[in-house]
Amino acid sequence: MALQLAPSTLSVPKKGSTMGAVGVKDTAAFLGVSSKTKKTMAVRTQVATAPTPVSTSPGSTTSSPGGKKTLRQGVVVITGASSGLGLAAAKALAETGKWHVVMACRDFLKASKAAKAAGMANGSYTVMHLDLASLDSVRQFVDAFRRAEMPLDVLVCNAAIYRPTARTPTFTADGHEMSVGVNHLGHFLLARLMMEDLQKSDYPSRRLVIVGSITGNVNTLAGNVPPKANLGDLRGLAGGLTGASGSAMIDGDESFDGAKAYKDSKVCNMLTMQEFHRRYHEDTGITFSSLYPGCIATTGLFREHIPLFRTLFPPFQRFVTKGFVSEAESGKRLAQVVGEPSLTKSGVYWSWNKDSASFENQLSQEASDPEKARKVWELSEKLVGLA
Ligand code: LMG
Ligand code: NDP
Ligand code: PMR
């Protein structure tokens, strides 16, 4: 029963509460495997599902009658949880009973229907509106989340768009090129604002996960399929990616290339994760991670590609590159990065080998360049109004 409630009557797990106690680096990074195995709902802002029972005891643990300490349910926010990787991870996490999933989505009804169709239990999730193509919407989401008085234990920046066939750029409400605007800038503002919430959380392992990809890494075969990611000297980003008065591409190129814009945005995602790590990990203990979940060739990411591509791409990845993973498998991988005790190391870009074992992967030179990361951070701060 997904209740649609006005914010004033919203009932969700409370901050600091107990929400139902429950109990390689290697040279083969080029192939992405380890050497061992070689329309927007603008007005309505939130819906609450029936909440998990809330107790008033503070702290991240509670004592059972036997005196055994059990961890409270964690709260994880996942952007773009209405399909693909985000939905699969939401389902995997909710099913454990250890997590309450906040699905932060631009299409409210689609997300609610997707959660139901995926069989997610009532009370295991909350759908809230977030359109990353509008910085106002990002700020409204943060306000709405805070009003709901949930703790924030893990934030997953997962949503993305890919416009491979677009010949001209489109723009966010704030006038930035859409792929970088949604995939990077919207998430940059969201993550920066929600650092405050993550820092308040008493959960033992607080994490910020930003989904990356192999295609942004030119130290891999996949990253060498044209057009290749390249942020250049960032002059386009410095100009605001407006297109009209300058370039819509980060490197300042005058011609728009949607596939490159996507790959560039993924480089920004991976650089941002590392810059967060450098700036905040030591002081806050928060874990910052990125990942390449595998090639999930069946998701909505390819919705704008030509039908022939959509038909051939899954078998090509399955039988030729063997990089294919199902949505369910990718969801389990992201769920590991959210909650597995073995994946607490910060600053890591995770990948999985052919046996589906996680390993610390190597990023390309550009995607691990600290100077570029600092510049992307500073330019992005200006574009989203933080500096
Ligand atoms: C663009 O096309 C699209 O135009 C754009 O819209 C967007 O989609 C973009 O990357 C996304 O791609 C790329 C296009 C051109 O590639 C193709 O799609 C051509 C397909 C050719 C099919 C031949 C494959 C044979 C397999 C048969 C299986 C049948 C199923 C087909 C399924 C199709 C789905 C793909 O790209 C080219 O120009 C082709 C060149 C490909 C280059 C591959 C990269 C070589 C890498 C070598 C790198 C060496 C670098 C060394 C670095 C060392 C570091 C240690
Ligand atoms: P999907 O298209 O299935 O999912 C993308 C999600 O992002 C959808 O929920 C979509 O919402 C949402 N979204 C798009 N635009 C906005 C916006 N303006 N505001 C809020 N949400 C938005 O793609 P995937 O599941 O494949 O992609 C998920 C992540 O995985 C991305 O970061 C992608 O880069 C990454 N990735 C994917 C790979 C793959 O092979 N598929 C490989 C490597 C990384 P809606 O449902 O309303 O469209
Ligand atoms: Mg790619 C090991 C080889 C490998 C892997 C893991 C991927 C992943 N791809 C590989 C190889 C190749 N691809 C080769 C050899 C080709 C040329 C035939 C090729 C082509 C190709 C295209 C046209 N691949 C693509 C496209 C896309 O449009 C996808 C893209 O670049 O989106 C930005 C894509 C992808 N290949 C991948 C992955 C994971 C993608 C999806 C991109 C992403 O989510 O980041």
Side-chain angles (χ1 to χ4, degrees), residues 30 162 164-165 218-221 224-228 257 259 263 305 309 312-313 316 320:
F30 187 76
Y162 173 40
T165 57
V218 298
N219 59 336
T220 65
L221 176 60
N224 277 283
V225 174
K228 293 205 248 179
D257 186 328
K263 293 174 189 179
H305 225 310
F309 175 88
L312 293 178
F313 191 54
F316 172 68
V320 182

Side-chain angles (χ1 to χ4, degrees), residues 27-33 213-225 228 292 349 351 361-365:
T27 49
F30 187 76
L31 291 171
V33 297
S213 180
I214 194 170
T215 54
N217 282 293
V218 298
N219 59 336
T220 65
L221 176 60
N224 277 283
V225 174
K228 293 205 248 179
Y292 166 57
Y349 165 65
S351 296
N361 206 346
Q362 216 167 357
L363 291 158
S364 68
Q365 196 183 2

Side-chain angles (χ1 to χ4, degrees), residues 204-207 280-288 344 346:
S205 181
R206 295 152 301 144
R207 305 183 191 186
Y280 290 102
H281 176 64
E282 209 170 294
D283 290 348
T284 64
I286 294 169
T287 296
F288 300 95
T344 46
S346 184

Side-chain angles (χ1 to χ4, degrees), residues 176-196:
H176 309 126
E177 187 280 315
M178 188 65 80
S179 322
V180 177
V182 169
N183 306 358
H184 168 59
L185 292 172
H187 278 135
F188 180 79
L189 178 62
L190 178 70
R192 285 288 302 273
L193 295 176
M194 296 204 99
M195 274 301 290
E196 191 182 319

Side-chain angles (χ1 to χ4, degrees), residues 73-340:
Q73 209 178 25
V75 175
V76 54
V77 170
I78 305 179
T79 68
S82 53
S83 81
L85 175 62
L87 177 62
K91 179 176 158 68
L93 289 162
E95 272 173 359
T96 63
K98 295 178 183 169
W99 295 93
H100 183 84
V101 183
V102 175
M103 301 168 70
C105 299
R106 64 172 165 176
D107 186 334
F108 192 90
L109 264 182
K110 179 179 175 183
S112 304
K113 283 184 189 158
K116 275 207 184 77
M120 290 171 66
N122 291 327
S124 67
Y125 65 93
T126 301
V127 180
M128 292 178 74
H129 180 254
L130 167 65
D131 183 356
L132 290 157
S134 156
L135 298 174
D136 265 353
S137 174
V138 172
R139 290 184 179 278
Q140 280 166 22
F141 170 81
V142 174
D143 285 348
F145 180 81
R146 287 177 183 163
R147 280 200 305 275
E149 297 198 336
M150 280 182 271
L152 178 68
D153 304 317
V154 179
L155 171 62
V156 181
C157 297
N158 161 77
I161 54 150
Y162 173 40
R163 313 198 58 240
T165 57
R167 289 169 177 275
T168 51
T170 48
F171 299 94
T172 64
D174 309 273
H176 309 126
E177 187 280 315
M178 188 65 80
S179 322
V180 177
V182 169
N183 306 358
H184 168 59
L185 292 172
H187 278 135
F188 180 79
L189 178 62
L190 178 70
R192 285 288 302 273
L193 295 176
M194 296 204 99
M195 274 301 290
E196 191 182 319
D197 307 80
L198 278 173
Q199 287 182 71
K200 283 185 190 151
S201 158
D202 60 355
Y203 204 69
S205 181
R206 295 152 301 144
R207 305 183 191 186
L208 168 59
V209 182
I210 307 179
V211 178
S213 180
I214 194 170
T215 54
N217 282 293
V218 298
N219 59 336
T220 65
L221 176 60
N224 277 283
V225 174
K228 293 205 248 179
N230 179 5
L231 307 188
D233 63 5
L234 302 170
R235 69 178 66 177
L237 186 65
L241 304 173
T242 56
S245 50
S247 173
M249 303 297 295
I250 290 180
D251 62 6
D253 200 305
E254 273 160 34
S255 57
F256 176 71
D257 186 328
K260 181 171 185 296
Y262 168 88
K263 293 174 189 179
D264 289 350
S265 77
K266 290 283 117 184
V267 175
C268 290
N269 286 154
M270 295 178 280
L271 288 173
T272 300
M273 176 280 283
Q274 296 162 88
E275 191 64 14
F276 263 113
H277 168 72
R278 280 188 283 270
R279 289 178 186 240
Y280 290 102
H281 176 64
E282 209 170 294
D283 290 348
T284 64
I286 294 169
T287 296
F288 300 95
S289 347
S290 186
L291 68 151
Y292 166 57
C295 186
I296 331 156
T298 53
T299 71
L301 195 68
F302 310 103
R303 67 186 92 179
E304 287 189 35
H305 225 310
I306 57 168
L308 183 64
F309 175 88
R310 280 189 274 127
T311 306
L312 293 178
F313 191 54
F316 172 68
Q317 292 295 342
R318 200 187 286 268
F319 303 115
V320 182
T321 73
K322 306 213 191 308
F324 181 91
V325 287
S326 66
E327 295 182 27
E329 175 59 25
S330 70
K332 284 185 205 153
R333 292 176 177 185
L334 177 50
Q336 285 174 28
V337 182
V338 167
E340 274 291 316

